[in-house]
Every structure is written in structure tokens, then in C-alpha cells.
Amino acid sequence: MEWADVPADRLDIPACLASGQCFRWRVSDEGEWRGVIGGTAVALRPKAEGFWWRTLPEPGGWDVLARYFALDVDLPRLHAEWTAGDPRIAPAVSRHPGLRILRQEPGEAFFSFLCATNNTIQKIRHTITRLAERYGEPVAEVDGETLFAFPTAERLAEAEEADLRGDLWGYRAPRLVALARHAATEGEAAWFTRLRALPYLEARAELASLFGIGLKVADCICLFGLGHDQAVPVDTHVRRIAARLFGDDLPARTLTPTVYNAIGERFRETFGPYAGWAQQALFFDELAPATAANKAATPR
DNA sequence: TTTTTGCCTCTGG
DNA sequence: CCAGAGGCAAAA
């Protein structure tokens, strides 16, 4: 394995991979994290001063890692910005200084978060892993375990609803197939490239106009898959944080689109263009104790 | 604009 | 056995 001189306070790999942003990484008993980024299988062994890494089947895929973990983003500068916006974020940031938003493949983020509605973390992990095994291309083998690329929209468009229901997609099964067909009409890559280039609110509006995708899931796709760093997915936990932070009556009301948008706007006014990253820091800090106790993160 | 309700299905109370 | 799970859409 090769050594990367990126300390844990600049990149907290376990926090990033277990903070509900992604669903397919596994950690071995020896503390080796294994996953797939696009068409590259990856093994990581995080230490305090840096981490060991290797890519399969081709070695030397450092650029893939650097992009996935958004190592170009200057965290200390962001932390200073957020603290200037509201100093109450300081404890959360200092407890998890290496937490980052991942730059996932847009398709994986898109289809993964479709599965997240009315669901639990364990079931999402199971469902998404099975989806890759059924419809994804094998990428490499590690310790006798085959790692799969995330399936293309073209492939998912041909999925059998009965198979999906067997993997706990439930009522989401027909939505998955319909949305895969939609993605495939424009061409998956072209569509996501266009959404990435659009202003954040326009990209979110287009996503949320699709059947089965609401504001929350659209924001998750924007933040985790499209590089829209100001997107703030608002769920129960974020509402509670917003109530504490902003102290107005917004979070107490029913989460209508009006209230949902107002909460996101408050985050963006307070923390700036990386409000989604700030939200992740507050969110993770809020749930970290439960995470350690349950040995499982909450989905995002 | 807001509130309510059903939805696949599994887990925890 | 029932409520809830980091929602969504339809209806009032």
C-alpha cells in the first residue's frame, strides 16, 4: 500500500464514510475500509498522521481519491468562515475537524437517496449493496469479496420490479425504474453534467419536479452527487439544530416547502456557500455519540 | 399554504 | 402488535 501524508484532522475517513453520505463502504476487522469509486476499487487504512491506500485493479489511482474526498477544499478556511458566521459551530468543528462532504458519482447519489425515503440505514445499505451486485459490473476482488461498480441508469432501466421488491425497494421499486428510464433518455452522464453546471436552485427544482423526488432527496443529490456545496438537506435532526441555532418558530411548524426553504436559507445566510458542509458538521456532531453506541451511522 | 394520510417492510418498544 | 424509520404525493 502507498502512504498519503494527509492527517486525520484534515481528512477523517471513518467520519466521512460513516456519516450517512454513502452506503456501500465496509470496514474490515483490521480497520481497512473498502469501497468503489466509479470504476475503481479502493482500500484504505486510516491512521492519525495519514493513511495507507491502494486502488484496484490499477494501482496509483491517487487522483480518484483526491477528487472523491474533495482534498482541494481548504477546511481550516471554511471553519474560520463558519465560526465568523456563528461561533456556536466551533465545538462541533473542533470535535470533527477532518469531516468532509464526499464528491460521489452523481448516479450513485441519485439512486441511493431514492431509496432513503421512509427507510432505515441498515435497510438502505442492504438494498443498495444488492442493487450493485445485481446490476453493476465487477471491478475487483479483495479478500475473496467481489466489489461492484454502481449500475448505470441504462441497466437499471431494465430492472425487474419483482427482483427489486425482493431487495426491499417496496413501493419505491417502480419509481426507481421510471427514474432510471428518465435519466437514460437524455443520457445519464450528459444529464448529470448539465445539472452540475446549473445554478443550485435550478438543479434542485428540476430534480424535485420528478415523481418520487421531494426537496429533501433533491438536496441530498445536489450536495452529495452534484457538487452543490450550499445545498442543505433538512430532516428532523437538522430542524432541531436549526431551532436551537436560529431560535425562531420556523422549525416548530409543519415542514411545508415554505418552512423547508426558509431553514435552508438561514443556513446559507449564516455559513455561506459551503452551508451544506457546515450542516454536515453540526449534524454529525449531534449524532456522533449515538453512532459510536450503535456502531452504525444514521443515513443521510 | 398547510395538514393529513397511505405507502413497502423491517425493527424496536 | 403497533409505531416509527433522516419522505413523497394526493387530497382537502
Side-chain angles (χ1 to χ4, degrees):
Chain A
M1 292 182 100
E2 298 188 60
W3 175 252
D5 212 7
V6 182
D9 61 8
R10 245 193 78 205
L11 171 61
D12 186 341
I13 290 172
C16 288
L17 298 182
S19 58
Q21 304 183 49
C22 52
F23 302 99
R24 295 208 297 143
W25 288 83
R26 295 287 182 275
V27 60
S28 75
D29 295 337
E30 299 82 38
E32 178 167 294
W33 291 81
R34 292 166 191 157
V36 177
I37 303 172
T40 304
V42 178
L44 305 167
R45 286 179 183 255
K47 309 288 176 194
E49 330 78 58
F51 61 93
W52 295 100
W53 64 276
R54 73 185 152 132
T55 57
L56 299 158
E58 300 297 325
W62 171 253
D63 290 347
V64 171
L65 290 181
R67 193 172 65 88
Y68 187 75
F69 288 109
L71 295 182
D72 56 301
V73 174
D74 183 351
L75 277 181
R77 188 180 63 77
L78 289 186
H79 294 167
E81 258 179 49
W82 302 341
T83 306
D86 191 327
R88 286 173 295 177
I89 198 176
V93 162
S94 65
R95 278 194 281 267
H96 313 287
L99 178 65
R100 292 171 177 273
I101 297 293
L102 302 170
R103 301 220 187 280
Q104 300 178 59
E105 294 293 306
E108 177 150 359
F110 180 80
F111 292 108
S112 294
F113 284 99
L114 284 188
C115 178
T117 66
N118 224 357
N119 212 341
T120 60
I121 172 63
Q122 251 169 349
K123 284 163 67 179
I124 298 169
R125 291 170 67 91
H126 174 260
T127 303
I128 297 303
T129 301
R130 291 287 297 130
L131 192 74
E133 288 168 358
R134 266 189 203 279
Y135 305 110
E137 296 296 324
V139 169
E141 196 170 297
V142 180
D143 278 358
E145 182 194 4
T146 304
L147 300 180
F148 292 84
F150 196 84
T152 63
E154 285 77 6
R155 189 73 191 80
L156 292 177
E158 302 164 353
E160 290 295 333
E161 217 177 289
D163 292 335
L164 295 174
R165 285 180 184 269
D167 292 340
L168 307 185
W169 277 91
Y171 64 88
R172 308 169 197 86
R175 300 177 180 184
L176 169 73
V177 177
L179 287 165
R181 291 205 182 108
H182 177 84
T185 53
E186 180 171 340
E188 185 181 16
W191 185 42
F192 288 131
T193 299
R194 187 168 63 71
L195 287 175
R196 191 190 291 278
L198 281 179
Y200 153 58
L201 284 177
E202 289 179 33
R204 188 185 69 162
E206 180 169 337
L207 288 168
S209 73
L210 301 171
F211 184 88
I213 299 184
L215 291 175
K216 159 68 165 58
V217 169
D219 268 328
C220 287
I221 297 165
C222 281
L223 179 62
F224 301 125
L226 297 173
H228 289 301
D229 299 300
Q230 67 272 55
V232 178
V234 180
D235 60 25
T236 335
H237 306 285
V238 174
R239 286 186 75 189
R240 194 170 59 246
I241 292 166
R244 208 168 51 232
L245 229 48
F246 306 128
D248 52 32
D249 65 333
L250 282 175
R253 292 155 55 190
T254 308
L255 195 56
T256 60
T258 312
V259 177
Y260 184 100
N261 285 325
I263 293 174
E265 278 308 309
R266 291 298 296 270
F267 269 91
R268 286 184 278 279
E269 288 164 11
T270 306
F271 299 114
Y274 283 75
W277 291 52
Q279 166 274 144
Q280 186 75 1
L282 290 164
F283 172 90
F284 186 71
D285 187 59
E286 181 108 340
L287 269 64
T291 300
N294 300 346
K295 216 186 169 186
T298 321
R300 165 110 296 238

